[in-house]
Amino acid sequence: MTIWHIITSTLIISLAVFLNSCTKEESDLTSEDEELAEPVSDSEEKICTELYYRATDRAFGSKQAFWNKKVLKVRFLGGGAYVQSKIKEYANEWSQHANINFQFVTREPSDIRISFDRNSGSWSYVGQSNRFIGTSRATMNFGWFTDRTSDTEFRRTTLHEFGHAIGLSHEHQHPEASIQWNREAVYSYYQRTQDWSRRDVDANIFQRYNASSSNFSAYDPSSIMHYYIPRSLVLGPWSAPWNSALSTIDKQFIASIYPKSGDEPPSEELSCACTASITGIACDNFEDLTSATFPQTDDWKPWSTNGNMGELQTYSWGKVLKIQHQDINNPDVVYAPATLNDGTYELSWDQYIGPNSSAYFNIQKGVEIGQEFGAQFYFDTESSGQVKINQQVIDFNYTQNQWLKMALILDFENNQVNFSIEDRLVGSFPNRWSAQSSDGTNQFTMLNFYAIDADTRFWLDNFCLSRSASEASIAQSKLRSDGFGTFRN
Ligand SMILES: [Zn+2]
């Protein structure tokens, strides 16, 4: 029994499954083709299979294939740390171009489950077909990845299989594909390499997807979803190369399917009015910096060992710091303008949280990680938030999709912190409180911004630390308070 028969017989038992397969056999490559081929592998034959749960799901870029959510949870059912890290690295290339993100989890629930069965090639269910697969079963398989696999091959096959997982079909069956097949050569080739019948070849090679039920862009032989096609299978001087990167059309198409609405912050309406700054910088707004020179001073530095600094972005209207979750080198950065423990200060900044995104920061009271931290500020994806301090909680609402002025009044004389959003007091609590107890230090050292979950994506700008007009500022904030969740000493 061939590999192909094993796959087919297994699937037929339980499902009405339709298969496509992309195939490579080294011996069929001409010398010219070999220049386009991937580096030599220890595998003679590589098979990629595209799976659908129901016949009706089988359409090129079917509108039903695409997910209605933007975070897909992915669980490995095996594989070594190195191979897993490569899959994470290259899968995330899709997320750079579309509002679809992969969150790698170690337990259920999951949307995608990856096995490493060396006997069944590489394959994946397409888009929402994944939803119908039992949670104990793989939805994607990498059959030939090892610690010796080249980066080109990791990238090519990972992008291709994750392309299936987010709803893409094989490009060679595009409704507008106009490949001039040498049909008898194709029948012969797949009969020899895959033991396919003529009917199998018709279904998996020649048949094109129905334009009326499909969602597609222009036919694109350079798509990561296109088969490698040797010249011997077509009439005329044409072949399709081994594509190992996303094509321009791949990027544009997936961005249109999963648009990054709200992914860029709007130009700021808030000015950086920072008077009486004590940091020597009138306004810490990144304007004099580039991604190459940031951070320029100790004001900004990475926090946890593997944390990165976020992304300094340049727009036509100014520069901002973006904090977005990523699986490797997740942003974890501190703003450390000064150690404060007497007098009264106002620390303010602008913060933008896009639609359906989350944000997080906390107050640090020490100079080393884990020493002592104070209040934690959570902004969830549903426009509500919580301040957590001394095991107590202050609930609040906030507005997404616009710049908000955040402000902390740090009053060390009266041992009090006031937190406000857009000049409206959210809550007050004793500055001495720490995250878990009332017995902490009446001190401030830094703000820690951290991408706390897969939905985290927010922007920061215009940091200002100034001596507060003290009683006046506090009194004004109190006037605007709704009184809820306000703690006194
Ligand atoms: Zn495929």
Side-chain angles (χ1 to χ4, degrees):
M1 182 177 279
T2 65
I3 290 169
W4 176 249
H5 281 132
I6 294 167
I7 297 169
T8 310
S9 59
T10 303
L11 295 166
I12 284 173
I13 290 168
S14 55
L15 302 169
V17 172
F18 292 77
L19 310 174
N20 280 335
S21 181
C22 35
T23 303
K24 170 190 175 187
E25 189 178 57
E26 299 285 349
S27 60
D28 268 49
L29 300 177
T30 66
S31 59
E32 187 177 323
D33 286 323
E34 274 179 327
E35 290 180 11
L36 298 169
E38 56 169 342
V40 174
S41 161
D42 55 358
S43 174
E44 279 292 296
E45 191 175 80
K46 292 176 178 175
I47 300 169
C48 165
T49 308
E50 169 186 287
L51 306 181
Y52 296 88
Y53 182 66
R54 298 172 303 201
T56 51
D57 292 335
R58 189 168 187 258
F60 183 90
S62 164
K63 287 151 188 161
Q64 289 81 40
F66 299 114
W67 296 86
N68 296 319
K69 54 184 178 180
K70 61 193 180 66
V71 177
L72 300 181
K73 294 185 175 178
V74 184
R75 185 161 71 93
F76 287 110
L77 303 179
Y82 176 73
V83 169
Q84 289 186 3
S85 74
K86 286 296 172 184
I87 291 170
K88 290 179 182 177
E89 177 182 348
Y90 291 115
N92 278 328
E93 283 193 31
W94 284 112
S95 305
Q96 293 169 19
H97 305 285
N99 192 9
I100 191 86
N101 293 283
F102 305 110
Q103 180 183 9
F104 290 86
V105 299
T106 55
R107 63 187 63 179
E108 290 299 308
S110 66
D111 302 298
I112 298 166
R113 288 169 297 283
I114 301 174
S115 58
F116 296 88
D117 178 1
R118 302 195 66 78
N119 296 316
S120 66
S122 291
W123 46 263
S124 175
Y125 281 88
V126 173
Q128 295 213 58
S129 280
N130 285 277
R131 293 172 49 222
F132 302 101
I133 310 307
T135 57
S136 64
R137 296 182 51 208
T139 66
M140 181 185 291
N141 189 69
F142 291 103
W144 54 75
F145 281 176
T146 72
D147 286 356
R148 298 179 306 282
T149 298
S150 70
D151 271 58
T152 302
E153 176 58 28
F154 274 128
R155 190 182 193 198
R156 181 183 78 86
T157 301
T158 300
L159 285 173
H160 182 98
E161 300 306 340
F162 274 80
H164 285 317
I166 60 179
L168 300 179
S169 307
H170 281 149
E171 184 76 5
H172 76 281
Q173 292 182 283
H174 188 285
E176 295 174 352
S178 54
I179 302 168
Q180 300 300 303
W181 296 106
N182 181 339
R183 297 179 76 91
E184 287 307 317
V186 174
Y187 284 130
S188 169
Y189 177 88
Y190 287 105
Q191 196 282 324
R192 186 174 74 252
T193 61
Q194 305 300 320
D195 199 19
W196 279 5
S197 68
R198 292 173 79 90
R199 194 173 160 188
D200 291 334
V201 174
D202 288 342
N204 295 301
I205 304 292
F206 297 140
Q207 188 179 88
R208 286 179 292 177
Y209 295 110
N210 187 328
S212 65
S213 62
S214 304
N215 199 345
F216 58 91
S217 51
Y219 169 62
D220 177 19
S222 62
S223 169
I224 193 70
M225 305 311 294
H226 203 292
Y227 270 37
Y228 163 71
I229 297 173
R231 189 180 292 184
S232 62
L233 298 188
V234 297
L235 303 171
W238 186 88
S239 64
W242 277 101
N243 299 320
S244 59
L246 300 181
S247 71
T248 300
I249 292 177
D250 285 337
K251 296 172 186 173
Q252 291 171 347
F253 182 64
I254 207 65
S256 73
I257 296 298
Y258 301 103
K260 289 195 170 193
S261 60
D263 193 46
E264 292 185 3
S267 62
E268 289 174 279
E269 297 171 3
L270 303 175
S271 62
C272 190
C274 188
T275 56
S277 166
I278 66 161
T279 62
I281 303 172
C283 178
D284 206 342
N285 59 3
F286 314 111
E287 292 306 308
D288 297 332
L289 304 175
T290 68
S291 56
T293 59
F294 175 76
Q296 187 177 44
T297 69
D298 287 343
D299 274 13
W300 289 93
K301 55 190 175 186
W303 196 225
S304 57
T305 307
N306 295 320
N308 82 11
M309 296 293 297
E311 181 186 353
L312 187 71
Q313 295 185 319
T314 301
Y315 293 99
S316 58
W317 42 266
K319 296 178 179 178
V320 288
L321 183 64
K322 181 184 185 184
I323 306 291
Q324 176 167 7
H325 180 271
Q326 49 194 60
D327 289 300
I328 298 170
N329 295 327
N330 197 32
D332 187 7
V333 59
V334 286
Y335 173 60
T339 295
L340 307 174
N341 47 32
D342 64 357
T344 302
Y345 301 85
E346 177 168 352
L347 174 58
S348 66
W349 68 97
D350 297 339
Q351 180 167 307
Y352 171 86
I353 305 173
N356 307 310
S357 298
S358 65
Y360 169 86
F361 61 87
N362 65 54
I363 291 175
Q364 292 288 322
K365 297 178 162 195
V367 294
E368 292 172 11
I369 193 163
Q371 187 174 339
E372 180 185 349
F373 65 98
Q376 301 182 84
F377 303 78
Y378 296 82
F379 301 76
D380 73 16
T381 58
E382 308 288 324
S383 294
S384 59
Q386 294 185 320
V387 182
K388 295 185 179 179
I389 179 72
N390 186 21
Q391 304 183 58
Q392 300 191 54
V393 174
I394 303 170
D395 291 301
F396 63 89
N397 294 314
Y398 74 98
T399 306
Q400 292 187 333
N401 214 12
Q402 75 175 55
W403 283 99
L404 301 173
K405 182 188 178 190
M406 305 280 149
L408 291 165
I409 304 285
L410 302 163
D411 181 352
F412 297 96
E413 303 308 314
N414 295 302
N415 181 28
Q416 180 167 326
V417 177
N418 288 356
F419 172 57
S420 65
I421 300 175
E422 290 288 280
D423 293 326
R424 181 178 181 83
L425 185 65
V426 170
S428 300
F429 47 87
N431 203 23
R432 189 178 296 280
W433 283 7
S434 67
Q436 298 298 328
S437 83
S438 60
D439 186 24
T441 312
N442 189 17
Q443 177 168 287
F444 169 93
T445 56
M446 30 190 154
L447 287 178
N448 171 216
F449 296 94
Y450 173 59
I452 196 166
D453 59 41
D455 293 319
T456 301
R457 191 168 66 236
F458 63 106
W459 285 260
L460 301 167
D461 202 5
N462 296 340
F463 283 77
C464 175
L465 175 62
S466 59
R467 288 199 181 277
S468 171
S470 191
E471 295 304 322
S473 291
I474 295 171
Q476 187 178 40
S477 292
K478 283 178 176 171
L479 280 175
R480 299 181 190 181
S481 170
D482 57 11
F484 180 77
T486 300
F487 303 121
R488 299 299 172 197
N489 293 339

